[in-house]
Amino acid sequence: MASVEASSCDGKGQGVETSVTYYRLEEVAKRNSSKEIWLVIHGRVYDVTRFLDEHPGGEEVLLEQAGVDASESFEDVGHSFDAREMLKQYYIGDVHPNDLETENSSKDTSKNNTCKSCWSYWVFPIVGAILLGFLYRYYTSESKSS
Ligand code: HEM
């Protein structure tokens, strides 16, 4: 865990000192039981332990996402504006910048990996269609000659 002082403006032209706490992903990963449950949503770390019983979607889904990046699952559900506002209550800090980089780069590699296999999506159907064409022509010419 690391704390960093950051300055922000309070709207009256006065600077306000706020401190951001950074957590390493390995630290978040340890909080994966119903006794203590943290999760990451869009680079921010949330302690949802006291929310387990209150979550309208049930505690099961939160336990499944315990200690990991739950951004995708959170978005997939299509949480309401109210749900997003609730997040603030459970915010405890940000994911450490070093971990954010590795997170992004690993996502890029997975994108590349899936793209490597992209060609199979169109090559197989085309080869299949050509083969079917040949078979069709072969059988139709056979039936004409007999
Ligand atoms: C701190 C994080 C979360 C908060 C504050 C939160 C809050 C809420 C709220 C307020 C609802 C009621 C519906 C709405 O207003 O959108 C809801 C429903 C739900 N949530 Fe979450 N949620 C969180 C994380 C998650 C995660 C990580 C999942 C993982 C899949 C999840 C799955 C669901 C499901 C399945 C429902 C039920 C949707 C339905 O019945 O249509 N939630 N959540």
Side-chain angles (χ1 to χ4, degrees):
M1 183 179 75
S3 262
V4 171
E5 296 289 324
S7 293
S8 64
C9 195
D10 65 355
K12 294 175 195 154
Q14 286 173 331
V16 175
E17 291 293 317
T18 49
S19 106
V20 179
T21 311
Y22 289 111
Y23 295 98
R24 302 305 303 238
L25 286 180
E26 58 180 36
E27 207 171 330
V28 177
K30 287 180 203 157
R31 271 63 180 220
N32 64 353
S33 72
S34 52
K35 281 185 191 151
E36 198 178 17
I37 164 168
W38 292 8
L39 44 84
V40 174
I41 298 173
H42 301 311
R44 288 166 165 245
V45 183
Y46 298 94
D47 179 349
V48 291
T49 316
R50 62 197 159 96
F51 184 55
L52 261 193
D53 297 335
E54 296 163 26
H55 182 226
E59 59 174 54
E60 273 303 303
V61 282
L62 291 184
L63 284 166
E64 270 167 29
Q65 301 298 320
V68 299
D69 189 332
S71 314
E72 214 175 306
S73 332
F74 184 81
E75 291 305 337
D76 284 351
V77 172
H79 280 97
S80 65
F81 175 78
D82 284 351
R84 283 161 207 279
E85 282 293 300
M86 282 172 82
L87 279 178
K88 290 176 190 165
Q89 298 171 39
Y90 307 103
Y91 171 77
I92 53 167
D94 285 2
V95 172
H96 195 280
N98 290 357
D99 283 343
L100 277 180
E101 277 162 29
T102 48
E103 229 188 2
N104 293 340
S105 56
S106 65
K107 265 181 199 161
D108 287 349
T109 359
S110 65
K111 258 185 210 164
N112 289 346
N113 284 346
T114 44
C115 250
K116 269 180 202 163
S117 56
C118 280
W119 63 271
S120 59
Y121 285 108
W122 54 271
V123 167
F124 286 124
I126 289 175
V127 170
I130 293 169
L131 274 175
L132 274 175
F134 275 118
L135 280 173
Y136 177 75
R137 283 192 64 173
Y138 175 76
Y139 281 114
T140 46
S141 60
E142 281 274 294
S143 54
K144 269 182 204 163
S145 60
S146 61

PDB file of all heavy atoms in Angstrom, residues 130-146:
ATOM      1  N   ILE A 130     -16.217 -23.527 -51.033  1.00  0.00           N
ATOM      2  CA  ILE A 130     -15.603 -23.975 -52.295  1.00  0.00           C
ATOM      3  C   ILE A 130     -15.744 -25.493 -52.438  1.00  0.00           C
ATOM      4  O   ILE A 130     -16.127 -26.013 -53.494  1.00  0.00           O
ATOM      5  CB  ILE A 130     -14.113 -23.536 -52.369  1.00  0.00           C
ATOM      6  CG1 ILE A 130     -14.035 -22.003 -52.474  1.00  0.00           C
ATOM      7  CG2 ILE A 130     -13.395 -24.197 -53.540  1.00  0.00           C
ATOM      8  CD1 ILE A 130     -12.653 -21.415 -52.301  1.00  0.00           C
ATOM      9  N   LEU A 131     -15.441 -26.215 -51.344  1.00  0.00           N
ATOM     10  CA  LEU A 131     -15.566 -27.679 -51.372  1.00  0.00           C
ATOM     11  C   LEU A 131     -16.989 -28.111 -51.696  1.00  0.00           C
ATOM     12  O   LEU A 131     -17.208 -29.014 -52.514  1.00  0.00           O
ATOM     13  CB  LEU A 131     -15.153 -28.262 -50.014  1.00  0.00           C
ATOM     14  CG  LEU A 131     -13.664 -28.516 -49.830  1.00  0.00           C
ATOM     15  CD1 LEU A 131     -13.376 -28.970 -48.406  1.00  0.00           C
ATOM     16  CD2 LEU A 131     -13.157 -29.565 -50.824  1.00  0.00           C
ATOM     17  N   LEU A 132     -17.945 -27.444 -51.051  1.00  0.00           N
ATOM     18  CA  LEU A 132     -19.358 -27.768 -51.299  1.00  0.00           C
ATOM     19  C   LEU A 132     -19.709 -27.533 -52.766  1.00  0.00           C
ATOM     20  O   LEU A 132     -20.417 -28.321 -53.395  1.00  0.00           O
ATOM     21  CB  LEU A 132     -20.261 -26.918 -50.403  1.00  0.00           C
ATOM     22  CG  LEU A 132     -20.519 -27.470 -49.008  1.00  0.00           C
ATOM     23  CD1 LEU A 132     -21.328 -26.473 -48.200  1.00  0.00           C
ATOM     24  CD2 LEU A 132     -21.265 -28.796 -49.075  1.00  0.00           C
ATOM     25  N   GLY A 133     -19.175 -26.441 -53.344  1.00  0.00           N
ATOM     26  CA  GLY A 133     -19.398 -26.114 -54.751  1.00  0.00           C
ATOM     27  C   GLY A 133     -18.903 -27.222 -55.666  1.00  0.00           C
ATOM     28  O   GLY A 133     -19.606 -27.658 -56.588  1.00  0.00           O
ATOM     29  N   PHE A 134     -17.657 -27.678 -55.371  1.00  0.00           N
ATOM     30  CA  PHE A 134     -17.081 -28.766 -56.173  1.00  0.00           C
ATOM     31  C   PHE A 134     -17.913 -30.040 -56.070  1.00  0.00           C
ATOM     32  O   PHE A 134     -18.194 -30.707 -57.062  1.00  0.00           O
ATOM     33  CB  PHE A 134     -15.641 -29.046 -55.727  1.00  0.00           C
ATOM     34  CG  PHE A 134     -14.638 -28.143 -56.389  1.00  0.00           C
ATOM     35  CD1 PHE A 134     -13.862 -27.272 -55.647  1.00  0.00           C
ATOM     36  CD2 PHE A 134     -14.465 -28.152 -57.780  1.00  0.00           C
ATOM     37  CE1 PHE A 134     -12.938 -26.426 -56.247  1.00  0.00           C
ATOM     38  CE2 PHE A 134     -13.543 -27.311 -58.383  1.00  0.00           C
ATOM     39  CZ  PHE A 134     -12.777 -26.447 -57.623  1.00  0.00           C
ATOM     40  N   LEU A 135     -18.306 -30.363 -54.824  1.00  0.00           N
ATOM     41  CA  LEU A 135     -19.118 -31.577 -54.609  1.00  0.00           C
ATOM     42  C   LEU A 135     -20.438 -31.484 -55.370  1.00  0.00           C
ATOM     43  O   LEU A 135     -20.875 -32.431 -56.013  1.00  0.00           O
ATOM     44  CB  LEU A 135     -19.403 -31.762 -53.108  1.00  0.00           C
ATOM     45  CG  LEU A 135     -18.270 -32.379 -52.291  1.00  0.00           C
ATOM     46  CD1 LEU A 135     -18.592 -32.346 -50.802  1.00  0.00           C
ATOM     47  CD2 LEU A 135     -18.002 -33.823 -52.725  1.00  0.00           C
ATOM     48  N   TYR A 136     -21.055 -30.298 -55.311  1.00  0.00           N
ATOM     49  CA  TYR A 136     -22.338 -30.098 -55.981  1.00  0.00           C
ATOM     50  C   TYR A 136     -22.184 -30.302 -57.492  1.00  0.00           C
ATOM     51  O   TYR A 136     -22.944 -31.023 -58.133  1.00  0.00           O
ATOM     52  CB  TYR A 136     -22.855 -28.692 -55.669  1.00  0.00           C
ATOM     53  CG  TYR A 136     -24.142 -28.348 -56.382  1.00  0.00           C
ATOM     54  CD1 TYR A 136     -25.352 -28.886 -55.951  1.00  0.00           C
ATOM     55  CD2 TYR A 136     -24.134 -27.496 -57.492  1.00  0.00           C
ATOM     56  CE1 TYR A 136     -26.534 -28.582 -56.600  1.00  0.00           C
ATOM     57  CE2 TYR A 136     -25.306 -27.189 -58.152  1.00  0.00           C
ATOM     58  CZ  TYR A 136     -26.512 -27.738 -57.702  1.00  0.00           C
ATOM     59  OH  TYR A 136     -27.670 -27.430 -58.342  1.00  0.00           O
ATOM     60  N   ARG A 137     -21.104 -29.664 -58.050  1.00  0.00           N
ATOM     61  CA  ARG A 137     -20.862 -29.785 -59.501  1.00  0.00           C
ATOM     62  C   ARG A 137     -20.573 -31.233 -59.878  1.00  0.00           C
ATOM     63  O   ARG A 137     -21.033 -31.739 -60.886  1.00  0.00           O
ATOM     64  CB  ARG A 137     -19.679 -28.895 -59.890  1.00  0.00           C
ATOM     65  CG  ARG A 137     -20.079 -27.436 -59.973  1.00  0.00           C
ATOM     66  CD  ARG A 137     -19.027 -26.618 -60.625  1.00  0.00           C
ATOM     67  NE  ARG A 137     -18.826 -27.009 -62.032  1.00  0.00           N
ATOM     68  CZ  ARG A 137     -18.043 -26.350 -62.862  1.00  0.00           C
ATOM     69  NH1 ARG A 137     -17.384 -25.293 -62.445  1.00  0.00           N
ATOM     70  NH2 ARG A 137     -17.900 -26.732 -64.100  1.00  0.00           N
ATOM     71  N   TYR A 138     -19.779 -31.922 -59.016  1.00  0.00           N
ATOM     72  CA  TYR A 138     -19.421 -33.315 -59.287  1.00  0.00           C
ATOM     73  C   TYR A 138     -20.680 -34.192 -59.353  1.00  0.00           C
ATOM     74  O   TYR A 138     -20.888 -34.927 -60.294  1.00  0.00           O
ATOM     75  CB  TYR A 138     -18.467 -33.798 -58.186  1.00  0.00           C
ATOM     76  CG  TYR A 138     -18.118 -35.265 -58.274  1.00  0.00           C
ATOM     77  CD1 TYR A 138     -17.205 -35.714 -59.241  1.00  0.00           C
ATOM     78  CD2 TYR A 138     -18.687 -36.191 -57.401  1.00  0.00           C
ATOM     79  CE1 TYR A 138     -16.887 -37.061 -59.316  1.00  0.00           C
ATOM     80  CE2 TYR A 138     -18.365 -37.536 -57.485  1.00  0.00           C
ATOM     81  CZ  TYR A 138     -17.454 -37.972 -58.445  1.00  0.00           C
ATOM     82  OH  TYR A 138     -17.147 -39.295 -58.519  1.00  0.00           O
ATOM     83  N   TYR A 139     -21.564 -34.034 -58.345  1.00  0.00           N
ATOM     84  CA  TYR A 139     -22.756 -34.886 -58.292  1.00  0.00           C
ATOM     85  C   TYR A 139     -23.746 -34.537 -59.388  1.00  0.00           C
ATOM     86  O   TYR A 139     -24.372 -35.413 -59.963  1.00  0.00           O
ATOM     87  CB  TYR A 139     -23.409 -34.803 -56.901  1.00  0.00           C
ATOM     88  CG  TYR A 139     -22.672 -35.650 -55.897  1.00  0.00           C
ATOM     89  CD1 TYR A 139     -22.003 -35.056 -54.834  1.00  0.00           C
ATOM     90  CD2 TYR A 139     -22.610 -37.039 -56.039  1.00  0.00           C
ATOM     91  CE1 TYR A 139     -21.297 -35.832 -53.923  1.00  0.00           C
ATOM     92  CE2 TYR A 139     -21.912 -37.813 -55.135  1.00  0.00           C
ATOM     93  CZ  TYR A 139     -21.255 -37.217 -54.077  1.00  0.00           C
ATOM     94  OH  TYR A 139     -20.561 -37.967 -53.187  1.00  0.00           O
ATOM     95  N   THR A 140     -23.876 -33.238 -59.725  1.00  0.00           N
ATOM     96  CA  THR A 140     -24.837 -32.875 -60.776  1.00  0.00           C
ATOM     97  C   THR A 140     -24.344 -33.380 -62.136  1.00  0.00           C
ATOM     98  O   THR A 140     -25.127 -33.849 -62.957  1.00  0.00           O
ATOM     99  CB  THR A 140     -25.089 -31.351 -60.824  1.00  0.00           C
ATOM    100  OG1 THR A 140     -23.834 -30.678 -60.764  1.00  0.00           O
ATOM    101  CG2 THR A 140     -25.989 -30.881 -59.717  1.00  0.00           C
ATOM    102  N   SER A 141     -23.000 -33.303 -62.401  1.00  0.00           N
ATOM    103  CA  SER A 141     -22.491 -33.803 -63.681  1.00  0.00           C
ATOM    104  C   SER A 141     -22.621 -35.333 -63.750  1.00  0.00           C
ATOM    105  O   SER A 141     -22.882 -35.906 -64.792  1.00  0.00           O
ATOM    106  CB  SER A 141     -21.044 -33.369 -63.917  1.00  0.00           C
ATOM    107  OG  SER A 141     -20.244 -33.880 -62.894  1.00  0.00           O
ATOM    108  N   GLU A 142     -22.448 -36.022 -62.610  1.00  0.00           N
ATOM    109  CA  GLU A 142     -22.606 -37.482 -62.534  1.00  0.00           C
ATOM    110  C   GLU A 142     -24.026 -37.885 -62.915  1.00  0.00           C
ATOM    111  O   GLU A 142     -24.236 -38.782 -63.708  1.00  0.00           O
ATOM    112  CB  GLU A 142     -22.339 -37.962 -61.101  1.00  0.00           C
ATOM    113  CG  GLU A 142     -20.882 -38.070 -60.738  1.00  0.00           C
ATOM    114  CD  GLU A 142     -20.278 -39.399 -61.136  1.00  0.00           C
ATOM    115  OE1 GLU A 142     -20.687 -40.417 -60.568  1.00  0.00           O
ATOM    116  OE2 GLU A 142     -19.423 -39.405 -62.052  1.00  0.00           O
ATOM    117  N   SER A 143     -25.006 -37.168 -62.326  1.00  0.00           N
ATOM    118  CA  SER A 143     -26.400 -37.555 -62.555  1.00  0.00           C
ATOM    119  C   SER A 143     -26.825 -37.258 -63.988  1.00  0.00           C
ATOM    120  O   SER A 143     -27.683 -37.920 -64.541  1.00  0.00           O
ATOM    121  CB  SER A 143     -27.328 -36.862 -61.550  1.00  0.00           C
ATOM    122  OG  SER A 143     -27.104 -35.502 -61.599  1.00  0.00           O
ATOM    123  N   LYS A 144     -26.197 -36.197 -64.622  1.00  0.00           N
ATOM    124  CA  LYS A 144     -26.530 -35.879 -66.019  1.00  0.00           C
ATOM    125  C   LYS A 144     -26.019 -36.973 -66.956  1.00  0.00           C
ATOM    126  O   LYS A 144     -26.677 -37.400 -67.881  1.00  0.00           O
ATOM    127  CB  LYS A 144     -25.897 -34.532 -66.414  1.00  0.00           C
ATOM    128  CG  LYS A 144     -26.830 -33.355 -66.152  1.00  0.00           C
ATOM    129  CD  LYS A 144     -26.156 -32.075 -66.602  1.00  0.00           C
ATOM    130  CE  LYS A 144     -26.737 -30.892 -65.865  1.00  0.00           C
ATOM    131  NZ  LYS A 144     -25.886 -29.727 -65.959  1.00  0.00           N
ATOM    132  N   SER A 145     -24.767 -37.456 -66.710  1.00  0.00           N
ATOM    133  CA  SER A 145     -24.148 -38.447 -67.593  1.00  0.00           C
ATOM    134  C   SER A 145     -24.822 -39.814 -67.475  1.00  0.00           C
ATOM    135  O   SER A 145     -24.788 -40.602 -68.391  1.00  0.00           O
ATOM    136  CB  SER A 145     -22.640 -38.547 -67.295  1.00  0.00           C
ATOM    137  OG  SER A 145     -22.463 -38.927 -65.962  1.00  0.00           O
ATOM    138  N   SER A 146     -25.448 -40.131 -66.292  1.00  0.00           N
ATOM    139  CA  SER A 146     -26.046 -41.447 -66.147  1.00  0.00           C
ATOM    140  C   SER A 146     -27.495 -41.490 -66.660  1.00  0.00           C
ATOM    141  O   SER A 146     -28.136 -40.553 -66.859  1.00  0.00           O
ATOM    142  CB  SER A 146     -25.995 -41.900 -64.696  1.00  0.00           C
ATOM    143  OG  SER A 146     -26.711 -40.993 -63.908  1.00  0.00           O
TER     144      SER A 146
END
